[in-house]
Amino acid sequence: MTELTADKISHAARLSVAPMMDWTDRHCRYLHRLLSRETLLYTEMVTSPALVRGGALHLLAFNPEEHPVALQLGGSDPTELAQAAKLGAEAGYDEINLNVGCPSDRVQSGTFGAVLMKSPDLVADCIKAMQDAVDVEITVKCRIGVDDQTPEIVLPDFLTKVSAVGCNRFTIHARKAWLQGLSPKENRDIPPLDYDLVRRMKQEFPDLHLSVNGGIASLSQAKAFLADGLDGVMIGRAAYHQPADILCAADPEIFGTGSFSDPVQVVLQMLPYIEAHLRDGGKLSQVTRHMLGLFAGRPGARQWRRILSERAHRPDAGPELVEDALAQVQCDA
């Protein structure tokens, strides 16, 4: 069962790191947790068919230190999603999130992700089935619309129908998704952001917990959205590429608790984790690839990145390589 109450998870959602395919794996999340004790972390999207039909339960593995941590599921079959949610709850996740935002061709072919913005009744059925299967809170991450939909009409209708079954927490990526003609990468940049629409949704649905996502690159931006009345802010690429800039100050500035974390100390805290990973047969680069941006914009950052990028993949690479890279940072500080 989950260790944290729904109220605590909702509080953690004041700031969250977005689920990002190939990026927010368990090693990334462990690093981010050392940088911030409070921020809500999300897995990469895991598809319900992979869990239920494929038996890929290894995709649910995470370190207990990662709490509060949410599992994001992709799927569109209510029965299968309910089974997947049950597996996620049994694994100990604090929240189960349904992906209604990913625009990739592969996701569309499975009739899930952003294409589900066209089927709010089906999304409601999926959420209800998941809620009936588990006690963990079920949430949704969505877009403001897709293709030729009018967001001002589609989004409030979507929120109305999905919240009617008891879903109270939504993260809204403030862009449309174009399912034809744009790649997933282009869908993160080209469709214009409409933050005002998300703000209006909070005014229209004051009882819902609404977080905004998309193009947010600093804590100062996040604080401005919270000051505007939104309940949470989800940050994606900036939190991955400049994790210290986003997460080191998150606890005192967003949550009013704790103190600023020090990326140098976090590297030292990562060494025992790396040693354990290597003992289990893992490779150094599987962990250090998520650490490359840790000193972005700071003295020694180039040397840090170069040493890890060029040498971490070698068969004999170990924690001492990370210590060597860190020494370069400290020399230039």
Side-chain angles (χ1 to χ4, degrees):
M1 294 297 291
T2 180
E3 295 182 1
L4 301 175
T5 66
D7 285 345
K8 289 183 178 179
I9 302 303
S10 292
H11 180 69
R14 282 178 61 79
L15 183 69
S16 58
V17 177
M20 292 175 281
M21 292 299 294
D22 299 321
W23 288 1
T24 52
D25 65 15
R26 58 194 178 95
H27 307 307
C28 173
R29 297 192 306 267
Y30 189 88
L31 170 68
H32 288 177
R33 178 55 66 226
L34 292 178
L35 291 165
S36 168
R37 302 307 306 175
E38 303 291 337
T39 301
L40 179 59
L41 305 178
Y42 282 80
T43 68
E44 304 168 88
M45 182 185 66
V46 179
T47 68
S48 56
L51 295 177
V52 176
R53 286 180 250 161
L57 298 185
H58 65 280
L59 297 174
L60 297 177
F62 71 97
N63 190 298
E65 293 293 321
E66 294 174 34
H67 290 292
V69 59
L71 168 67
Q72 187 183 67
L73 292 176
S76 61
D77 179 83
T79 301
E80 192 168 67
L81 278 166
Q83 292 174 282
K86 188 172 181 181
L87 292 171
E90 290 171 349
Y93 284 95
D94 301 304
E95 171 195 329
I96 311 290
N97 178 267
L98 180 62
N99 184 321
V100 190
C102 182
S104 78
D105 292 340
R106 183 173 64 85
V107 168
Q108 290 180 58
S109 66
T111 320
F112 56 88
V115 70
L116 286 174
M117 291 299 297
K118 297 180 178 181
S119 306
D121 292 322
L122 175 57
V123 174
D125 290 343
C126 291
I127 295 298
K128 182 67 166 61
M130 296 162 76
Q131 290 172 332
D132 289 345
V134 301
D135 292 330
V136 178
E137 184 173 12
I138 308 297
T139 68
V140 168
K141 184 174 188 288
C142 65
R143 292 274 181 150
I144 61 173
V146 296
D147 297 338
D148 293 323
Q149 289 182 326
T150 302
E152 291 82 0
I153 297 172
V154 168
L155 186 56
D157 179 65
F158 180 87
L159 293 176
T160 296
K161 290 179 176 177
V162 179
S163 65
V165 298
C167 182
N168 296 314
R169 187 145 56 85
F170 296 80
T171 298
I172 303 171
H173 187 148
R175 284 187 175 96
K176 266 190 181 184
W178 287 95
L179 303 180
Q180 303 295 330
L182 292 183
S183 70
K185 181 179 184 300
E186 290 170 328
N187 262 300
R188 292 192 295 268
D189 294 306
I190 293 177
L193 287 157
D194 191 347
Y195 294 136
D196 285 340
L197 177 60
V198 181
R199 292 186 184 99
R200 291 199 299 275
M201 291 303 96
K202 181 57 189 176
Q203 294 170 357
E204 190 169 332
F205 298 90
D207 294 334
L208 295 182
H209 185 294
L210 299 185
S211 294
V212 63
N213 169 235
I216 301 163
S218 69
L219 270 192
S220 59
Q221 276 183 284
K223 290 164 71 174
F225 280 115
L226 294 171
D228 285 344
L230 287 167
D231 301 293
V233 178
M234 177 180 279
I235 301 181
R237 285 167 289 169
Y240 186 84
H241 291 303
Q242 298 96 34
D245 289 347
I246 301 298
L247 297 175
C248 280
D251 291 0
E253 293 200 7
I254 301 296
F255 298 96
T257 187
S259 57
F260 290 72
S261 58
D262 177 358
V264 171
Q265 291 302 313
V266 166
V267 172
L268 297 177
Q269 290 175 281
M270 284 295 295
L271 295 177
Y273 179 86
I274 289 170
E275 290 169 357
H277 178 63
L278 296 177
R279 282 197 303 271
D280 289 340
K283 299 176 181 178
L284 179 64
S285 59
Q286 292 172 320
V287 179
T288 56
R289 73 186 185 97
H290 303 300
M291 301 172 66
L292 298 179
L294 197 51
F295 297 99
R298 305 181 188 206
R302 182 175 298 178
Q303 292 90 328
W304 162 265
R305 189 180 184 95
R306 178 179 57 79
I307 290 172
L308 294 184
S309 297
E310 294 178 359
R311 294 161 53 188
H313 66 280
R314 296 177 183 175
D316 61 344
E320 65 281 351
L321 177 64
V322 179
E323 294 177 298
D324 290 346
L326 183 61
Q328 295 298 314
V329 173
Q330 292 174 309
C331 282
D332 289 348

